[in-house]
Amino acid sequence: MSAVAELLAARGHRVSGSDQRDSAVLEHLRLVGVRTYLGHDAAHVPATGSLVVSTAVRESNPELVAARERGMPVLHRSQALARAAAGRDFVAVAGAHGKTSTSAMLAVALRGAGQDPSYAIGGTVLALGTGAHLGTGPAFVAEADESDGSFLNYTPRVALVTNVEPDHLDHHGSEAAFRRSFEDFAARIVPGGLLVACADDDGARDLVHHAVAAGTRVVTYGAGDAPAGVEAHARPTPTSMTGHGSRAHVRRTGAGGVLEADLELRVGGAHMLLNAVGAWCAGLELGVGPAEMAAALGEFTGTGRRFEPRGEAAGVRVVDDYAHHPTEVAATLATARLEAGEGRVLVVFQPHLYSRTQSFADAFAAALAAADRAVVTDVYAAREDPVPGVDGSLITRAMAAHGAGERATYVADRLAAARVVADLAEPGDLVMTVGAGDVTELGDLILDRLRERA
């Protein structure tokens, strides 16, 4: 929502908004001319204008109630974002995971290549200092949200799909419906536009087959073979991989001949390398040369809450990560294992949404089994009401089946969980706070307790 607010303000609109509590995000919005309020109240709604909401805003919200009573237009954030992007080449990055990092990589690289893109990304891009910008260049890069189907409000010139792994089944109802939403998304690509998709993901590969059959131009990327009928395929060959960076040679074959470049990334993990190759493919479509795009991707240093270092105390490093899907948790723990070296990996994990916890408890357990110790808190409800019998202990109990029962602890209160993991940590260990909720606030508490203990 903050990215939309900043972009609309940059386009000359008068923008105001509210949140439950103050934050660095609100302070930034005030600096760029957005009027902010703490708490939600009908008095905050102006006499005229439109109200922009996200799916997380309930119908009982007093500002939404007031707007509906007055007959004001109510727009979903994706509709407002589409308005902010009017007249630009829209580049929509979608997928159950990886879309924030991939869209951020693309924005950083296009800027490094001199294009000055506009962008709206669901996190702070460290190399850019913000997640939103109205540029002078032709491209508008946006993180496109599939969780509520709102990515169907976009008509992209380039659609980049990192994966089609089922999630958000509380909204979509079934895996089949989730996959169909991506087919509908690909169908919204403008005539002559391009679908870029990761062929290593089964769901994305199925999407490619559907798009090719529909006559859509498709370029794929991944370690495996190219699906039939695609215009080109880019394959990375890693030459080094650490927890904080990687190097690879990427080779694109197909229409246009062979295009090659060497990537040197400042973020670690095999998943980040794949994201970079997807961004590289999109950059070529937007007119950047192979070597220039690869060099510009080297400027990307990460986004807020994506394997973000929070500090070190008593010989223990603390890292925060937004991972909230089993595949994301597995990927970030694989990176943590590389980064920890001989040290242990300790995790405080906060499940996000009751529906997701209920659906994927065993998959979360399998992912967390990669940690040396996992402390799981109660569920961060976000937009949902509690579900009887669903809490973090579903995950810790399931970890026993993955041979990790003795390394799993359920501590409902997140503050108590932070103290537990801090007391378990030893010099050389890597402690991670993981999840999409307020678990991100625990890093400082853990560091303070480590300092006290030292």
Side-chain angles (χ1 to χ4, degrees):
M1 289 290 284
S2 60
V4 176
E6 184 169 350
L7 288 165
L8 291 173
R11 294 205 73 150
H13 295 281
R14 286 182 297 148
V15 183
S16 63
S18 63
D19 209 342
Q20 292 182 344
R21 55 186 173 181
D22 208 355
S23 64
V25 172
L26 289 192
E27 177 59 28
H28 175 74
L29 288 177
R30 288 191 283 267
L31 291 174
V32 298
V34 175
R35 185 172 184 178
T36 65
Y37 300 98
L38 298 183
H40 305 302
D41 193 301
H44 299 159
V45 182
T48 60
S50 301
L51 185 71
V52 180
V53 298
S54 74
T55 305
V57 177
R58 300 192 180 200
E59 286 293 326
S60 59
N61 181 286
E63 296 171 25
L64 180 54
V65 170
R68 294 208 187 280
E69 288 176 347
R70 297 177 195 175
M72 290 177 65
V74 176
L75 305 176
H76 187 273
R77 65 173 298 276
S78 59
Q79 295 171 305
L81 181 59
R83 291 190 181 189
R88 309 295 174 99
D89 289 334
F90 201 82
V91 182
V93 182
H97 30 267
K99 53 184 176 287
T100 298
S101 295
T102 306
S103 55
M105 285 178 172
L106 185 53
V108 168
L110 291 176
R111 187 193 70 158
Q115 288 203 6
D116 189 23
S118 302
Y119 49 86
I121 296 162
T124 300
V125 185
L126 302 183
L128 303 174
T130 182
H133 172 67
L134 188 66
T136 59
F140 191 113
V141 180
E143 180 179 345
D145 188 8
E146 82 291 340
S147 67
D148 55 3
S150 60
F151 64 167
L152 299 180
N153 287 319
Y154 305 134
T155 51
R157 177 191 161 188
V158 178
L160 199 169
V161 175
T162 58
N163 54 77
V164 186
E165 188 168 352
D167 195 5
H168 308 292
L169 301 185
D170 56 317
H171 171 81
H172 293 279
S174 68
E175 292 188 14
F178 181 81
R179 293 176 186 273
R180 281 196 302 272
S181 72
F182 276 86
E183 294 173 3
D184 294 340
F185 173 62
R188 295 188 60 81
I189 297 172
V190 300
L194 179 71
L195 171 65
V196 178
C198 180
D200 289 351
D201 175 75
D202 290 340
R205 201 174 178 95
D206 288 343
L207 174 65
V208 166
H209 294 317
H210 182 87
V212 167
T216 304
R217 294 176 55 226
V218 180
V219 167
T220 55
Y221 62 96
D225 295 331
V230 301
E231 186 173 289
H233 180 73
R235 180 181 289 108
T237 302
T239 55
S240 70
M241 186 76 66
T242 69
H244 53 271
S246 64
R247 295 179 181 176
H249 181 77
V250 58
R251 189 171 190 265
R252 179 188 185 271
T253 56
V258 177
L259 302 175
E260 299 179 270
D262 290 315
L263 287 170
E264 186 170 350
L265 303 179
R266 297 164 67 183
V267 289
H271 60 300
M272 284 296 190
L273 174 58
L274 269 183
N275 292 341
V277 177
W280 183 77
C281 291
L284 301 189
E285 175 69 10
L286 296 170
V288 184
E292 185 180 14
M293 188 67 188
L297 283 166
E299 299 177 18
F300 178 74
T301 54
T303 59
R305 300 225 54 212
R306 271 67 178 181
F307 211 83
E308 181 181 7
R310 286 298 174 88
E312 182 174 343
V316 177
R317 288 174 292 166
V318 178
V319 173
D320 184 49
D321 198 277
Y322 190 71
H324 55 282
H325 182 280
T327 300
E328 296 169 352
V329 174
T332 200
L333 289 184
T335 304
R337 184 62 64 192
L338 287 172
E339 186 69 10
E342 297 299 318
R344 299 181 303 163
V345 176
L346 282 61
V347 178
V348 178
F349 176 64
Q350 181 187 54
H352 185 265
L353 298 179
Y354 292 98
S355 57
R356 184 183 285 121
T357 304
Q358 190 170 35
S359 297
F360 299 123
D362 187 68
F364 278 124
L368 289 168
D372 293 289
R373 288 297 299 266
V375 180
V376 181
T377 74
D378 205 353
V379 178
Y380 185 82
R383 61 184 180 269
E384 294 184 339
D385 293 321
V387 175
V390 177
D391 58 33
S393 69
L394 285 182
I395 297 172
T396 54
R397 292 199 303 268
M399 289 181 70
H402 297 277
E406 74 285 355
R407 293 184 277 116
T409 307
Y410 171 58
V411 181
D413 180 75
R414 65 188 179 93
L415 301 181
R419 291 190 289 269
V420 168
V421 80
D423 291 344
L424 289 170
E426 301 172 355
D429 289 347
L430 178 67
V431 171
M432 296 201 65
T433 55
V434 179
D438 54 10
V439 66
T440 185
E441 299 170 358
L442 300 183
D444 288 342
L445 189 154
I446 293 170
L447 289 166
D448 287 344
R449 192 167 181 90
L450 287 168
R451 294 186 188 102
E452 292 170 3
R453 193 182 73 185

